[in-house]
Amino acid sequence: MPLQGEYEPSTQKWVRDQVELYERTGGREGDTIVGRPVVVFSTRGAKTGKVRKQPLMRVEHDGAYLMVGSQGGKPTDPAWVHNLRAHPDQVTVQDGPEPWDGVARELDGPEREEWWERAVAAFPNYADYQQKTERRIPIFLVERR
Ligand code: F42
């Protein structure tokens, strides 16, 4: 079941437009960016408790999905990273018509290395984004609850 509560669309127009198109068409449109597939994730606001939605590049393996907090190599983590740290069990994944409930876990160590390789294979620009920033890009694995 999708996260309940008030939905606060992204302050970035291109992001909220992509979410709107994706949801309206059940993932038939708005499902790519720069020719690569995207998935829509919902998180619970760490401060506001509102529902937040963000499309991210699709990095999937054995039914689990990765959330990569790259933000194009910007110096700060995306706000949704704080949301997931505060509410790791308040996340949904939409890859197609139906969202499903997941649990997120921040990856570290060898598991992180393994998934980072998958991320770069799915979207090679992630490697450039990591080069552009001092921070280590946080990644979260989302599995079905
Ligand atoms: N971003 C990525 O980081 N990685 C990707 O792979 C990626 C792919 C992608 C594909 C398509 C597309 O349209 C966008 C894509 N983006 C990707 C951008 C992504 O969807 C997010 O816009 C981006 O990661 C920034 O996330 P953000 O959570 O910082 O969103 C900003 C713009 C935003 O709306 N911020 C809100 C604001 O008001 O400034 C706050 C949102 C929020 O969650 N607030 C929390 C709350 O309580 O409500 C508090 C958070 C806190 O800091 O405690």
Side-chain angles (χ1 to χ4, degrees), residues 52-67:
R52 304 285 190 172
K53 297 182 183 180
Q54 41 280 318
L56 301 176
M57 306 316 290
R58 183 180 188 278
V59 183
E60 183 273 345
H61 183 73
D62 284 348
Y65 286 74
L66 198 67
M67 297 177 73

Side-chain angles (χ1 to χ4, degrees), residues 8-12 14-16 18-19 32-33 38-39 43-58 67-72 74 77-83 123 126 129 135:
E8 183 73 36
S10 172
T11 50
Q12 291 174 297
W14 63 282
V15 173
R16 60 174 188 268
Q18 179 143 31
V19 171
T32 60
I33 196 164
V38 304
V39 174
T43 59
R44 173 82 60 200
K47 294 176 188 149
T48 61
K50 290 180 179 173
V51 177
R52 304 285 190 172
K53 297 182 183 180
Q54 41 280 318
L56 301 176
M57 306 316 290
R58 183 180 188 278
M67 297 177 73
V68 179
S70 53
Q71 278 216 107
K74 283 190 190 154
D77 290 336
W80 58 258
V81 165
H82 306 291
N83 298 345
F123 188 57
Y126 281 145
Y129 298 161
R135 69 189 170 96

Side-chain angles (χ1 to χ4, degrees), residues 117-128:
E117 278 181 28
R118 289 191 182 116
V120 172
F123 188 57
N125 289 5
Y126 281 145
D128 304 329

Side-chain angles (χ1 to χ4, degrees), residues 105-116 139 141:
R105 168 163 84 74
E106 193 164 0
L107 297 185
D108 209 345
E111 203 179 12
R112 184 185 185 282
E113 298 308 314
E114 190 185 341
W115 275 94
W116 179 254
I139 63 176
L141 189 63

Side-chain angles (χ1 to χ4, degrees), residues 81-100:
V81 165
H82 306 291
N83 298 345
L84 283 182
R85 287 179 182 149
H87 304 294
D89 59 346
Q90 297 275 298
V91 56
T92 67
V93 181
Q94 186 167 358
D95 182 22
E98 291 295 332
W100 48 265

